[in-house]
């Protein structure tokens, strides 16, 4: 536990999950998740971009390190993907114009071929891949399962039957309705400000609409949130907590490549933009020369999912493997403004809770 005060308010979902603070930490790093849990938040580990062969080891590691503390696992389940496909078969369908454009960028930026195998150089998002991820996650001891971009009724039903709490990230009232109709137990209203795949409505406008639709189902707020005052603010609107993603990339536990960390520290909210160039679906990222090249006039429109990743996945892997200062980018929200230096998750949690307390005291002083 860190030395912070308690959160000034503790919504019922905190008791239900056995957590101290209404802070939900999404991350692809097991180290971040363990640190979020130790600091009293609820960690959710993303497994959507991990190699299938690694997933059993990752699940065993997080289970051992959590030692009974509650945590969740997140999967991305877009529905418009092939049933099954190899990367080679998808690459064979890529339009020649796009292949030539990326070839030109590779030469222009001197992109080195990646050497380490990664999700982005070996995998295609397909229903078969999702089926394997689902089986692994259902068999894990995670307390919660979250899904984004798409929903699978069979997963919701089976997760609930195993006593796992089900969360769904929603970017519109229509998505919220769909999740509620499938019996999802916690909605995460993720606004346009968020890092990663996102809809078109900002968090502050989306949240009240999702809360109204959800009735008695708890709602969390996500997107652009990185201060305690914001967390208190969304709870004032009726959210039972906030779900943060970008902020943790500023923590040592995230092992952020140094050039990316520098970019995140130097970037403000206006340096993020929504692009289809990363995955084929609208995704908020922090800008780099690679993203700008896709935004420039004359660039072809990005392909859809999973084609765009088959086209560019090795470049994404390369810029991360070699920490390419010019090209490196990552999903990042408007919340990037709060990454000012490298720190630790414990410090970030302390700052968030202290800021929540200060905001509460300010409100109380106004009578
Ligand atoms: C680097 C990064 C990767 C992400 N990957 C996923 C993912 O795999 N699944 C998912 O549900 N959300 C993903 N998200 C979105 C987060 O779950 C969360 O909704 C978002 O980060 C909240 O907004 P914020 O970035 O402003 O905190 C990702 C976000 C970031 C920054």
């Amino acid at each position: 536990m860190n030395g912070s005060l308690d959160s000034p308010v503790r919504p019922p979902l905190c008791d239900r999950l056995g957590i101290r603070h209404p802070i939900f930490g999404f991350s692809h790093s097991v180290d971040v998740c363990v640190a979020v849990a130790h600091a009293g938040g609820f960690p959710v580990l993303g497994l959507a971009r991990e190699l299938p062969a690694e997933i059993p080891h990752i699940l065993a590691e997080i289970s051992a390190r959590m030692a009974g503390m509650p945590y969740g696992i997140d999967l991305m389940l877009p529905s418009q993907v092939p049933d099954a496909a190899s990367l080679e078969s998808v690459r064979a369908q890529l339009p020649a114009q796009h292949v030539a454009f990326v070839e030109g960028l590779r030469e222009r930026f001197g992109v080195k071929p990646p050497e380490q195998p990664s999700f982005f150089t070996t995998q295609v998002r397909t229903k078969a891949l999702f089926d394997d991820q689902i089986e692994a996650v259902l068999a894990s001891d995670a307390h919660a399962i979250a899904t984004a971009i798409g929903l699978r009724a069979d997963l919701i039903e089976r997760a609930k039957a195993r006593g796992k709490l089900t969360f769904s990230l929603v970017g519109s009232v229509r998505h919220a309705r769909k999740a509620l109709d499938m019996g999802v137990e916690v909605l995460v209203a993720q606004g346009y400000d968020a890092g990663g795949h996102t809809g078109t409505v900002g968090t502050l406008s989306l949240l009240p609409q999702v809360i109204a639709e959800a009735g008695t189902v708890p709602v969390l707020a996500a997107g652009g949130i990185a201060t305690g005052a914001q967390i208190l603010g969304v709870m004032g609107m009726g959210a039972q907590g906030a779900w943060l993603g970008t902020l943790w990339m500023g923590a040592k536990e995230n092992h952020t490549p140094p050039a990316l960390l520098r970019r995140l520290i130097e970037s403000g909210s206006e340096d993020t933009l929504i692009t289809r160039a990363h995955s084929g679906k609208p995704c908020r990222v922090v800008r780099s020369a690679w993203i700008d090249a896709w935004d420039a006039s004359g660039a072809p429109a990005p392909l859809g999912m999973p084609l765009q990743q088959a086209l560019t996945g090795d470049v994404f892997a390369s810029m991360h493997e070699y920490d390419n200062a010019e090209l490196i980018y990552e999903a990042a929200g408007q919340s990037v403004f709060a990454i000012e230096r490298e720190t630790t998750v414990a410090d970030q949690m302390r700052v968030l809770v202290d800021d929540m307390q200060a905001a509460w005291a300010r409100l109380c002083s106004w009578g």
Side-chain angles (χ1 to χ4, degrees):
M1 288 284 175
N2 64 37
S4 329
L5 300 163
D6 282 334
S7 301
V9 284
R10 244 177 86 90
L13 190 58
C14 284
D15 288 332
R16 189 154 158 201
L17 290 168
I19 53 171
R20 197 166 150 216
H21 304 305
I23 299 172
F24 294 73
F26 172 91
S27 176
H28 287 279
S29 156
V30 173
D31 288 346
V32 167
C33 287
V34 171
V36 166
H38 278 293
F42 188 83
V44 181
L45 179 70
L47 282 187
R49 45 158 89 169
E50 278 49 48
L51 281 168
E54 298 285 329
I55 286 183
H57 305 292
I58 298 171
L59 288 171
E61 184 192 349
I62 190 160
S63 166
R65 293 180 61 193
M66 284 297 170
M69 290 184 290
Y71 70 99
I73 299 286
D74 172 281
L75 293 175
M76 265 176 23
L77 302 174
S79 56
Q80 312 274 313
V81 294
D83 287 345
S86 67
L87 189 54
E88 291 66 37
S89 67
V90 176
R91 281 191 176 145
Q93 300 166 35
L94 296 173
Q97 183 210 0
H98 285 78
V99 174
F101 178 71
V102 169
E103 205 38 58
L105 292 181
R106 269 204 194 94
E107 274 171 33
R108 180 173 141 203
F109 292 118
V111 176
K112 289 197 269 181
E115 282 182 0
Q116 290 161 17
S118 75
F119 181 90
F120 296 96
T121 55
T122 60
Q123 301 300 312
V124 185
R125 294 193 196 280
T126 62
K127 295 206 168 75
L129 176 82
F130 300 160
D131 285 343
D132 289 347
Q133 291 174 334
I134 285 172
E135 292 310 321
V137 169
L138 282 172
S140 77
D141 67 357
H143 299 66
I145 295 191
T147 63
I149 307 194
L151 279 163
R152 288 256 305 246
D154 57 329
L155 170 60
I156 305 301
E157 202 176 303
R158 292 175 66 200
K160 286 167 77 171
R162 282 168 172 71
K164 300 184 191 302
L165 196 64
T166 51
F167 290 58
S168 178
L169 276 74
V170 297
S172 69
V173 175
R174 190 171 61 83
H175 289 149
R177 188 66 261 157
K178 216 168 144 189
L180 292 164
D181 289 345
M182 271 189 203
V184 170
E185 295 155 293
V186 182
L187 297 183
V188 183
Q190 190 211 254
Y192 165 92
D193 338 28
H197 294 97
T198 176
T200 55
V201 183
T203 304
L204 275 188
S205 297
L206 180 67
L207 182 61
Q209 300 181 67
V210 172
I211 288 175
E213 192 71 20
T216 56
V217 169
V219 177
L220 303 173
I225 302 174
T227 72
Q230 287 176 294
I231 298 172
L232 190 70
V234 294
M235 289 195 292
M237 294 169 70
Q240 294 213 21
W243 171 291
L244 283 62
T246 295
L247 183 68
W248 319 113
M249 288 194 287
K252 288 189 173 65
E253 292 91 337
N254 193 60
H255 313 292
T256 305
L260 176 61
L261 181 64
R262 270 197 306 280
R263 188 182 298 296
L264 294 169
I265 289 170
E266 286 162 11
S267 294
S269 302
E270 64 281 7
D271 299 310
T272 69
L273 81 172
I274 294 185
T275 177
R276 290 200 304 108
H278 175 59
S279 70
K281 287 192 177 291
C283 182
R284 185 178 289 283
V285 302
V286 65
R287 284 178 53 186
S288 75
W290 179 259
I291 294 300
D292 287 347
W294 279 93
D295 215 20
S297 67
L303 303 170
M305 186 182 270
L307 292 177
Q308 182 68 11
Q309 212 156 294
L311 177 68
T312 61
D314 60 337
V315 180
F316 184 70
S318 167
M319 63 180 80
H320 280 255
E321 186 173 326
Y322 300 109
D323 195 24
N324 185 319
E326 188 178 18
L327 301 187
I328 199 162
Y329 76 90
E330 183 49 282
Q334 294 186 345
S335 47
V336 75
F337 73 86
I339 300 182
E340 294 178 327
R341 66 189 73 81
E342 190 178 39
T343 176
T344 62
V345 169
D347 271 337
Q348 291 177 321
M349 287 289 289
R350 192 175 304 121
V351 169
L352 289 172
V353 175
D354 288 353
D355 190 40
M356 244 193 288
Q357 281 287 354
W360 179 248
R362 187 165 54 236
L363 278 182
C364 294
S365 77
W366 290 346

